[in-house]
PDB file of all heavy atoms in Angstrom:
ATOM      1  N   PRO C   1     113.564 103.275 101.860  1.00 86.00           N
ATOM      2  CA  PRO C   1     114.292 104.011 100.818  1.00 86.00           C
ATOM      3  C   PRO C   1     115.450 104.779 101.451  1.00 86.00           C
ATOM      4  O   PRO C   1     115.253 105.576 102.365  1.00 86.00           O
ATOM      5  CB  PRO C   1     113.239 104.972 100.245  1.00 86.00           C
ATOM      6  CG  PRO C   1     111.931 104.533 100.810  1.00 86.00           C
ATOM      7  CD  PRO C   1     112.219 103.812 102.076  1.00 86.00           C
ATOM      8  N   ARG C   2     116.651 104.552 100.941  1.00 82.00           N
ATOM      9  CA  ARG C   2     117.808 105.169 101.582  1.00 82.00           C
ATOM     10  C   ARG C   2     117.863 106.679 101.369  1.00 82.00           C
ATOM     11  O   ARG C   2     118.524 107.381 102.130  1.00 82.00           O
ATOM     12  CB  ARG C   2     119.091 104.488 101.093  1.00 82.00           C
ATOM     13  CG  ARG C   2     119.282 103.111 101.718  1.00 82.00           C
ATOM     14  CD  ARG C   2     120.629 102.529 101.407  1.00 82.00           C
ATOM     15  NE  ARG C   2     120.700 102.090 100.022  1.00 82.00           N
ATOM     16  CZ  ARG C   2     121.832 101.695  99.427  1.00 82.00           C
ATOM     17  NH1 ARG C   2     122.963 101.732 100.087  1.00 82.00           N
ATOM     18  NH2 ARG C   2     121.813 101.282  98.176  1.00 82.00           N
ATOM     19  N   ASN C   3     117.172 107.198 100.361  1.00 86.00           N
ATOM     20  CA  ASN C   3     117.129 108.640 100.198  1.00 86.00           C
ATOM     21  C   ASN C   3     116.341 109.324 101.316  1.00 86.00           C
ATOM     22  O   ASN C   3     116.492 110.525 101.547  1.00 86.00           O
ATOM     23  CB  ASN C   3     116.502 109.027  98.853  1.00 86.00           C
ATOM     24  CG  ASN C   3     117.406 108.720  97.684  1.00 86.00           C
ATOM     25  OD1 ASN C   3     117.273 107.667  97.063  1.00 86.00           O
ATOM     26  ND2 ASN C   3     118.338 109.604  97.382  1.00 86.00           N
ATOM     27  N   PHE C   4     115.497 108.559 102.011  1.00 89.00           N
ATOM     28  CA  PHE C   4     114.682 109.123 103.085  1.00 89.00           C
ATOM     29  C   PHE C   4     115.071 108.568 104.452  1.00 89.00           C
ATOM     30  O   PHE C   4     114.916 109.250 105.459  1.00 89.00           O
ATOM     31  CB  PHE C   4     113.201 108.839 102.831  1.00 89.00           C
ATOM     32  CG  PHE C   4     112.654 109.511 101.607  1.00 89.00           C
ATOM     33  CD1 PHE C   4     112.552 108.818 100.405  1.00 89.00           C
ATOM     34  CD2 PHE C   4     112.250 110.832 101.639  1.00 89.00           C
ATOM     35  CE1 PHE C   4     112.042 109.422  99.262  1.00 89.00           C
ATOM     36  CE2 PHE C   4     111.739 111.455 100.500  1.00 89.00           C
ATOM     37  CZ  PHE C   4     111.643 110.751  99.304  1.00 89.00           C
ATOM     38  N   GLY C   5     115.525 107.314 104.506  1.00 85.00           N
ATOM     39  CA  GLY C   5     115.909 106.711 105.778  1.00 85.00           C
ATOM     40  C   GLY C   5     114.758 106.176 106.591  1.00 85.00           C
ATOM     41  O   GLY C   5     114.957 105.630 107.676  1.00 85.00           O
ATOM     42  N   ILE C   6     113.530 106.303 106.102  1.00 86.00           N
ATOM     43  CA  ILE C   6     112.345 105.776 106.771  1.00 86.00           C
ATOM     44  C   ILE C   6     111.419 105.179 105.714  1.00 86.00           C
ATOM     45  O   ILE C   6     111.498 105.542 104.537  1.00 86.00           O
ATOM     46  CB  ILE C   6     111.584 106.861 107.557  1.00 86.00           C
ATOM     47  CG1 ILE C   6     111.295 108.079 106.656  1.00 86.00           C
ATOM     48  CG2 ILE C   6     112.324 107.272 108.817  1.00 86.00           C
ATOM     49  CD1 ILE C   6     110.435 109.136 107.320  1.00 86.00           C
ATOM     50  N   SER C   7     110.546 104.282 106.136  1.00 88.00           N
ATOM     51  CA  SER C   7     109.675 103.597 105.186  1.00 88.00           C
ATOM     52  C   SER C   7     108.333 104.288 104.988  1.00 88.00           C
ATOM     53  O   SER C   7     107.585 103.916 104.083  1.00 88.00           O
ATOM     54  CB  SER C   7     109.435 102.154 105.636  1.00 88.00           C
ATOM     55  OG  SER C   7     108.759 102.133 106.884  1.00 88.00           O
ATOM     56  N   ALA C   8     108.028 105.279 105.829  1.00 92.00           N
ATOM     57  CA  ALA C   8     106.725 105.941 105.713  1.00 92.00           C
ATOM     58  C   ALA C   8     106.785 107.326 106.343  1.00 92.00           C
ATOM     59  O   ALA C   8     107.504 107.544 107.321  1.00 92.00           O
ATOM     60  CB  ALA C   8     105.634 105.111 106.399  1.00 92.00           C
ATOM     61  N   ARG C   9     106.018 108.236 105.760  1.00 95.00           N
ATOM     62  CA  ARG C   9     105.824 109.555 106.352  1.00 95.00           C
ATOM     63  C   ARG C   9     104.543 110.151 105.777  1.00 95.00           C
ATOM     64  O   ARG C   9     104.076 109.742 104.709  1.00 95.00           O
ATOM     65  CB  ARG C   9     107.017 110.472 106.091  1.00 95.00           C
ATOM     66  CG  ARG C   9     107.065 111.036 104.686  1.00 95.00           C
ATOM     67  CD  ARG C   9     108.195 112.037 104.501  1.00 95.00           C
ATOM     68  NE  ARG C   9     108.063 112.736 103.232  1.00 95.00           N
ATOM     69  CZ  ARG C   9     109.011 113.492 102.699  1.00 95.00           C
ATOM     70  NH1 ARG C   9     110.174 113.639 103.314  1.00 95.00           N
ATOM     71  NH2 ARG C   9     108.794 114.112 101.549  1.00 95.00           N
ATOM     72  N   LEU C  10     103.986 111.141 106.461  1.00 96.00           N
ATOM     73  CA  LEU C  10     102.745 111.768 106.005  1.00 96.00           C
ATOM     74  C   LEU C  10     102.984 112.736 104.852  1.00 96.00           C
ATOM     75  O   LEU C  10     102.148 112.853 103.957  1.00 96.00           O
ATOM     76  CB  LEU C  10     102.077 112.512 107.161  1.00 96.00           C
ATOM     77  CG  LEU C  10     101.545 111.644 108.304  1.00 96.00           C
ATOM     78  CD1 LEU C  10     101.024 112.516 109.427  1.00 96.00           C
ATOM     79  CD2 LEU C  10     100.452 110.696 107.803  1.00 96.00           C
ATOM     80  N   GLY C  11     104.104 113.461 104.850  1.00 94.00           N
ATOM     81  CA  GLY C  11     104.329 114.477 103.843  1.00 94.00           C
ATOM     82  C   GLY C  11     103.396 115.662 104.047  1.00 94.00           C
ATOM     83  O   GLY C  11     102.686 115.766 105.056  1.00 94.00           O
ATOM     84  N   GLU C  12     103.410 116.570 103.091  1.00 95.00           N
ATOM     85  CA  GLU C  12     102.522 117.729 103.175  1.00 95.00           C
ATOM     86  C   GLU C  12     101.074 117.299 102.901  1.00 95.00           C
ATOM     87  O   GLU C  12     100.833 116.431 102.060  1.00 95.00           O
ATOM     88  CB  GLU C  12     102.945 118.787 102.165  1.00 95.00           C
ATOM     89  CG  GLU C  12     104.273 119.449 102.494  1.00 95.00           C
ATOM     90  CD  GLU C  12     104.227 120.221 103.801  1.00 95.00           C
ATOM     91  OE1 GLU C  12     103.164 120.807 104.102  1.00 95.00           O
ATOM     92  OE2 GLU C  12     105.241 120.205 104.525  1.00 95.00           O
ATOM     93  N   PRO C  13     100.120 117.901 103.585  1.00 94.00           N
ATOM     94  CA  PRO C  13      98.718 117.461 103.452  1.00 94.00           C
ATOM     95  C   PRO C  13      98.170 117.534 102.027  1.00 94.00           C
ATOM     96  O   PRO C  13      97.315 116.724 101.648  1.00 94.00           O
ATOM     97  CB  PRO C  13      97.962 118.413 104.379  1.00 94.00           C
ATOM     98  CG  PRO C  13      98.986 118.901 105.346  1.00 94.00           C
ATOM     99  CD  PRO C  13     100.280 118.959 104.597  1.00 94.00           C
ATOM    100  N   ASP C  14      98.645 118.505 101.247  1.00 94.00           N
ATOM    101  CA  ASP C  14      98.131 118.656  99.885  1.00 94.00           C
ATOM    102  C   ASP C  14      99.034 118.007  98.838  1.00 94.00           C
ATOM    103  O   ASP C  14      98.822 118.183  97.641  1.00 94.00           O
ATOM    104  CB  ASP C  14      97.936 120.137  99.554  1.00 94.00           C
ATOM    105  CG  ASP C  14      99.227 120.950  99.687  1.00 94.00           C
ATOM    106  OD1 ASP C  14     100.213 120.409 100.234  1.00 94.00           O
ATOM    107  OD2 ASP C  14      99.246 122.116  99.245  1.00 94.00           O
ATOM    108  N   ALA C  15     100.036 117.262  99.278  1.00 96.00           N
ATOM    109  CA  ALA C  15     100.972 116.607  98.354  1.00 96.00           C
ATOM    110  C   ALA C  15     100.482 115.208  98.007  1.00 96.00           C
ATOM    111  O   ALA C  15      99.666 114.615  98.733  1.00 96.00           O
ATOM    112  CB  ALA C  15     102.362 116.534  98.980  1.00 96.00           C
ATOM    113  N   PRO C  16     100.961 114.638  96.904  1.00 97.00           N
ATOM    114  CA  PRO C  16     100.603 113.253  96.580  1.00 97.00           C
ATOM    115  C   PRO C  16     101.068 112.291  97.670  1.00 97.00           C
ATOM    116  O   PRO C  16     102.007 112.584  98.415  1.00 97.00           O
ATOM    117  CB  PRO C  16     101.343 112.995  95.262  1.00 97.00           C
ATOM    118  CG  PRO C  16     101.631 114.342  94.690  1.00 97.00           C
ATOM    119  CD  PRO C  16     101.823 115.245  95.863  1.00 97.00           C
ATOM    120  N   PHE C  17     100.404 111.141  97.729  1.00 98.00           N
ATOM    121  CA  PHE C  17     100.807 110.082  98.653  1.00 98.00           C
ATOM    122  C   PHE C  17     101.085 108.830  97.831  1.00 98.00           C
ATOM    123  O   PHE C  17     100.212 108.338  97.108  1.00 98.00           O
ATOM    124  CB  PHE C  17      99.723 109.803  99.699  1.00 98.00           C
ATOM    125  CG  PHE C  17     100.218 108.977 100.851  1.00 98.00           C
ATOM    126  CD1 PHE C  17     100.593 109.575 102.040  1.00 98.00           C
ATOM    127  CD2 PHE C  17     100.341 107.591 100.741  1.00 98.00           C
ATOM    128  CE1 PHE C  17     101.076 108.823 103.113  1.00 98.00           C
ATOM    129  CE2 PHE C  17     100.819 106.830 101.798  1.00 98.00           C
ATOM    130  CZ  PHE C  17     101.185 107.446 102.987  1.00 98.00           C
ATOM    131  N   VAL C  18     102.313 108.307  97.945  1.00 97.00           N
ATOM    132  CA  VAL C  18     102.742 107.131  97.208  1.00 97.00           C
ATOM    133  C   VAL C  18     102.603 105.913  98.114  1.00 97.00           C
ATOM    134  O   VAL C  18     103.148 105.889  99.225  1.00 97.00           O
ATOM    135  CB  VAL C  18     104.214 107.268  96.754  1.00 97.00           C
ATOM    136  CG1 VAL C  18     104.653 106.029  95.979  1.00 97.00           C
ATOM    137  CG2 VAL C  18     104.396 108.533  95.914  1.00 97.00           C
ATOM    138  N   VAL C  19     101.880 104.907  97.650  1.00 96.00           N
ATOM    139  CA  VAL C  19     101.700 103.715  98.471  1.00 96.00           C
ATOM    140  C   VAL C  19     102.056 102.470  97.659  1.00 96.00           C
ATOM    141  O   VAL C  19     101.660 102.325  96.501  1.00 96.00           O
ATOM    142  CB  VAL C  19     100.247 103.624  99.018  1.00 96.00           C
ATOM    143  CG1 VAL C  19      99.215 103.545  97.898  1.00 96.00           C
ATOM    144  CG2 VAL C  19     100.089 102.427  99.957  1.00 96.00           C
ATOM    145  N   GLU C  20     102.839 101.612  98.271  1.00 93.00           N
ATOM    146  CA  GLU C  20     103.128 100.310  97.668  1.00 93.00           C
ATOM    147  C   GLU C  20     101.870  99.457  97.797  1.00 93.00           C
ATOM    148  O   GLU C  20     101.397  99.192  98.905  1.00 93.00           O
ATOM    149  CB  GLU C  20     104.305  99.651  98.387  1.00 93.00           C
ATOM    150  CG  GLU C  20     104.685  98.311  97.810  1.00 93.00           C
ATOM    151  CD  GLU C  20     105.971  97.761  98.402  1.00 93.00           C
ATOM    152  OE1 GLU C  20     106.873  98.551  98.732  1.00 93.00           O
ATOM    153  OE2 GLU C  20     106.059  96.526  98.524  1.00 93.00           O
ATOM    154  N   ALA C  21     101.333  99.045  96.666  1.00 93.00           N
ATOM    155  CA  ALA C  21     100.004  98.428  96.626  1.00 93.00           C
ATOM    156  C   ALA C  21     100.141  96.914  96.480  1.00 93.00           C
ATOM    157  O   ALA C  21     100.327  96.392  95.385  1.00 93.00           O
ATOM    158  CB  ALA C  21      99.189  99.015  95.476  1.00 93.00           C
ATOM    159  N   ASP C  22     100.000  96.235  97.592  1.00 90.00           N
ATOM    160  CA  ASP C  22     100.219  94.798  97.670  1.00 90.00           C
ATOM    161  C   ASP C  22      98.928  94.040  97.389  1.00 90.00           C
ATOM    162  O   ASP C  22      97.860  94.407  97.875  1.00 90.00           O
ATOM    163  CB  ASP C  22     100.734  94.481  99.077  1.00 90.00           C
ATOM    164  CG  ASP C  22     101.089  93.032  99.279  1.00 90.00           C
ATOM    165  OD1 ASP C  22     101.132  92.282  98.291  1.00 90.00           O
ATOM    166  OD2 ASP C  22     101.327  92.649 100.439  1.00 90.00           O
ATOM    167  N   GLU C  23      99.052  92.950  96.626  1.00 87.00           N
ATOM    168  CA  GLU C  23      97.889  92.138  96.308  1.00 87.00           C
ATOM    169  C   GLU C  23      97.597  91.076  97.360  1.00 87.00           C
ATOM    170  O   GLU C  23      96.615  90.322  97.247  1.00 87.00           O
ATOM    171  CB  GLU C  23      98.049  91.470  94.936  1.00 87.00           C
ATOM    172  CG  GLU C  23      99.102  90.369  94.851  1.00 87.00           C
ATOM    173  CD  GLU C  23     100.480  90.873  94.493  1.00 87.00           C
ATOM    174  OE1 GLU C  23     100.775  92.067  94.757  1.00 87.00           O
ATOM    175  OE2 GLU C  23     101.291  90.083  93.970  1.00 87.00           O
ATOM    176  N   TYR C  24      98.444  90.962  98.378  1.00 85.00           N
ATOM    177  CA  TYR C  24      98.195  89.981  99.433  1.00 85.00           C
ATOM    178  C   TYR C  24      96.915  90.341 100.172  1.00 85.00           C
ATOM    179  O   TYR C  24      96.492  91.503 100.188  1.00 85.00           O
ATOM    180  CB  TYR C  24      99.381  89.942 100.397  1.00 85.00           C
ATOM    181  CG  TYR C  24      99.595  88.597 101.030  1.00 85.00           C
ATOM    182  CD1 TYR C  24     100.289  87.597 100.358  1.00 85.00           C
ATOM    183  CD2 TYR C  24      99.104  88.310 102.295  1.00 85.00           C
ATOM    184  CE1 TYR C  24     100.483  86.353 100.927  1.00 85.00           C
ATOM    185  CE2 TYR C  24      99.291  87.071 102.878  1.00 85.00           C
ATOM    186  CZ  TYR C  24      99.980  86.098 102.190  1.00 85.00           C
ATOM    187  OH  TYR C  24     100.163  84.862 102.748  1.00 85.00           O
ATOM    188  N   ASP C  25      96.294  89.362 100.822  1.00 90.00           N
ATOM    189  CA  ASP C  25      94.996  89.637 101.436  1.00 90.00           C
ATOM    190  C   ASP C  25      95.136  90.560 102.647  1.00 90.00           C
ATOM    191  O   ASP C  25      96.216  90.763 103.195  1.00 90.00           O
ATOM    192  CB  ASP C  25      94.230  88.360 101.765  1.00 90.00           C
ATOM    193  CG  ASP C  25      94.934  87.462 102.767  1.00 90.00           C
ATOM    194  OD1 ASP C  25      95.970  87.873 103.319  1.00 90.00           O
ATOM    195  OD2 ASP C  25      94.448  86.341 102.989  1.00 90.00           O
ATOM    196  N   THR C  26      94.008  91.139 103.060  1.00 93.00           N
ATOM    197  CA  THR C  26      93.999  92.246 104.015  1.00 93.00           C
ATOM    198  C   THR C  26      94.118  91.782 105.460  1.00 93.00           C
ATOM    199  O   THR C  26      94.891  92.339 106.240  1.00 93.00           O
ATOM    200  CB  THR C  26      92.712  93.068 103.822  1.00 93.00           C
ATOM    201  OG1 THR C  26      92.702  93.599 102.497  1.00 93.00           O
ATOM    202  CG2 THR C  26      92.607  94.195 104.819  1.00 93.00           C
ATOM    203  N   ALA C  27      93.338  90.793 105.862  1.00 93.00           N
ATOM    204  CA  ALA C  27      93.328  90.308 107.242  1.00 93.00           C
ATOM    205  C   ALA C  27      92.558  89.004 107.292  1.00 93.00           C
ATOM    206  O   ALA C  27      91.901  88.614 106.323  1.00 93.00           O
ATOM    207  CB  ALA C  27      92.685  91.349 108.173  1.00 93.00           C
ATOM    208  N   PHE C  28      92.585  88.354 108.451  1.00 94.00           N
ATOM    209  CA  PHE C  28      91.863  87.079 108.562  1.00 94.00           C
ATOM    210  C   PHE C  28      90.362  87.281 108.396  1.00 94.00           C
ATOM    211  O   PHE C  28      89.634  86.348 108.040  1.00 94.00           O
ATOM    212  CB  PHE C  28      92.185  86.371 109.888  1.00 94.00           C
ATOM    213  CG  PHE C  28      91.547  86.989 111.108  1.00 94.00           C
ATOM    214  CD1 PHE C  28      90.259  86.647 111.487  1.00 94.00           C
ATOM    215  CD2 PHE C  28      92.242  87.899 111.887  1.00 94.00           C
ATOM    216  CE1 PHE C  28      89.666  87.209 112.609  1.00 94.00           C
ATOM    217  CE2 PHE C  28      91.664  88.459 113.013  1.00 94.00           C
ATOM    218  CZ  PHE C  28      90.379  88.121 113.377  1.00 94.00           C
ATOM    219  N   PHE C  29      89.885  88.517 108.598  1.00 95.00           N
ATOM    220  CA  PHE C  29      88.456  88.808 108.470  1.00 95.00           C
ATOM    221  C   PHE C  29      88.127  89.577 107.187  1.00 95.00           C
ATOM    222  O   PHE C  29      86.991  89.954 106.969  1.00 95.00           O
ATOM    223  CB  PHE C  29      87.974  89.609 109.689  1.00 95.00           C
ATOM    224  CG  PHE C  29      88.832  90.805 110.007  1.00 95.00           C
ATOM    225  CD1 PHE C  29      88.611  92.016 109.390  1.00 95.00           C
ATOM    226  CD2 PHE C  29      89.879  90.692 110.915  1.00 95.00           C
ATOM    227  CE1 PHE C  29      89.402  93.119 109.675  1.00 95.00           C
ATOM    228  CE2 PHE C  29      90.676  91.790 111.211  1.00 95.00           C
ATOM    229  CZ  PHE C  29      90.440  93.011 110.585  1.00 95.00           C
ATOM    230  N   ASP C  30      89.126  89.813 106.340  1.00 94.00           N
ATOM    231  CA  ASP C  30      88.914  90.537 105.089  1.00 94.00           C
ATOM    232  C   ASP C  30      89.875  89.956 104.059  1.00 94.00           C
ATOM    233  O   ASP C  30      91.059  90.278 104.045  1.00 94.00           O
ATOM    234  CB  ASP C  30      89.181  92.032 105.292  1.00 94.00           C
ATOM    235  CG  ASP C  30      88.936  92.856 104.031  1.00 94.00           C
ATOM    236  OD1 ASP C  30      88.687  92.275 102.964  1.00 94.00           O
ATOM    237  OD2 ASP C  30      89.007  94.105 104.118  1.00 94.00           O
ATOM    238  N   LYS C  31      89.357  89.083 103.202  1.00 92.00           N
ATOM    239  CA  LYS C  31      90.237  88.342 102.288  1.00 92.00           C
ATOM    240  C   LYS C  31      90.447  89.051 100.955  1.00 92.00           C
ATOM    241  O   LYS C  31      91.032  88.490 100.028  1.00 92.00           O
ATOM    242  CB  LYS C  31      89.684  86.931 102.054  1.00 92.00           C
ATOM    243  CG  LYS C  31      89.412  86.150 103.317  1.00 92.00           C
ATOM    244  CD  LYS C  31      90.545  86.210 104.345  1.00 92.00           C
ATOM    245  CE  LYS C  31      91.761  85.412 103.947  1.00 92.00           C
ATOM    246  NZ  LYS C  31      92.806  85.475 105.014  1.00 92.00           N
ATOM    247  N   ARG C  32      90.004  90.294 100.840  1.00 92.00           N
ATOM    248  CA  ARG C  32      90.322  91.077  99.644  1.00 92.00           C
ATOM    249  C   ARG C  32      91.782  91.501  99.677  1.00 92.00           C
ATOM    250  O   ARG C  32      92.390  91.619 100.747  1.00 92.00           O
ATOM    251  CB  ARG C  32      89.429  92.317  99.571  1.00 92.00           C
ATOM    252  CG  ARG C  32      87.949  92.039  99.423  1.00 92.00           C
ATOM    253  CD  ARG C  32      87.146  93.326  99.575  1.00 92.00           C
ATOM    254  NE  ARG C  32      87.260  93.876 100.922  1.00 92.00           N
ATOM    255  CZ  ARG C  32      86.815  95.070 101.266  1.00 92.00           C
ATOM    256  NH1 ARG C  32      86.246  95.856 100.363  1.00 92.00           N
ATOM    257  NH2 ARG C  32      86.931  95.489 102.519  1.00 92.00           N
ATOM    258  N   SER C  33      92.344  91.763  98.485  1.00 90.00           N
ATOM    259  CA  SER C  33      93.708  92.289  98.441  1.00 90.00           C
ATOM    260  C   SER C  33      93.760  93.658  99.105  1.00 90.00           C
ATOM    261  O   SER C  33      92.818  94.449  99.009  1.00 90.00           O
ATOM    262  CB  SER C  33      94.180  92.401  96.991  1.00 90.00           C
ATOM    263  OG  SER C  33      94.396  91.123  96.424  1.00 90.00           O
ATOM    264  N   LYS C  34      94.887  93.940  99.756  1.00 93.00           N
ATOM    265  CA  LYS C  34      95.006  95.206 100.488  1.00 93.00           C
ATOM    266  C   LYS C  34      94.784  96.408  99.580  1.00 93.00           C
ATOM    267  O   LYS C  34      94.224  97.418  99.998  1.00 93.00           O
ATOM    268  CB  LYS C  34      96.386  95.295 101.153  1.00 93.00           C
ATOM    269  CG  LYS C  34      96.592  94.332 102.315  1.00 93.00           C
ATOM    270  CD  LYS C  34      97.705  94.778 103.238  1.00 93.00           C
ATOM    271  CE  LYS C  34      99.072  94.678 102.609  1.00 93.00           C
ATOM    272  NZ  LYS C  34      99.518  93.293 102.422  1.00 93.00           N
ATOM    273  N   PHE C  35      95.232  96.297  98.311  1.00 93.00           N
ATOM    274  CA  PHE C  35      95.191  97.498  97.476  1.00 93.00           C
ATOM    275  C   PHE C  35      93.784  97.959  97.103  1.00 93.00           C
ATOM    276  O   PHE C  35      93.610  99.086  96.643  1.00 93.00           O
ATOM    277  CB  PHE C  35      96.074  97.368  96.243  1.00 93.00           C
ATOM    278  CG  PHE C  35      95.833  96.192  95.310  1.00 93.00           C
ATOM    279  CD1 PHE C  35      94.562  95.715  95.035  1.00 93.00           C
ATOM    280  CD2 PHE C  35      96.906  95.592  94.671  1.00 93.00           C
ATOM    281  CE1 PHE C  35      94.348  94.670  94.155  1.00 93.00           C
ATOM    282  CE2 PHE C  35      96.711  94.537  93.783  1.00 93.00           C
ATOM    283  CZ  PHE C  35      95.433  94.081  93.521  1.00 93.00           C
ATOM    284  N   VAL C  36      92.759  97.139  97.302  1.00 94.00           N
ATOM    285  CA  VAL C  36      91.409  97.613  96.964  1.00 94.00           C
ATOM    286  C   VAL C  36      90.927  98.690  97.933  1.00 94.00           C
ATOM    287  O   VAL C  36      89.945  99.385  97.662  1.00 94.00           O
ATOM    288  CB  VAL C  36      90.381  96.459  96.913  1.00 94.00           C
ATOM    289  CG1 VAL C  36      90.799  95.405  95.904  1.00 94.00           C
ATOM    290  CG2 VAL C  36      90.162  95.844  98.280  1.00 94.00           C
TER     291      VAL C  36
END
């Protein structure tokens, strides 16, 4: 995001966390979608 210049940050500990929730599978050993 160009408003931030980075793709990820922790933010404040008590603040919301926004995550892009991808339906692609998790890993070769976990075939569930990442967002679960």
Side-chain angles (χ1 to χ4, degrees):
R2 285 189 287 171
N3 288 96
F4 295 97
I6 52 175
S7 63
R9 77 175 191 192
L10 293 175
E12 291 297 325
D14 58 349
F17 194 98
V18 180
V19 61
E20 181 172 327
D22 184 10
E23 70 271 25
Y24 210 82
D25 62 7
T26 299
F28 74 85
F29 50 86
D30 182 353
K31 307 314 288 182
R32 296 171 295 170
S33 290
K34 290 201 291 290
F35 56 37
V36 302

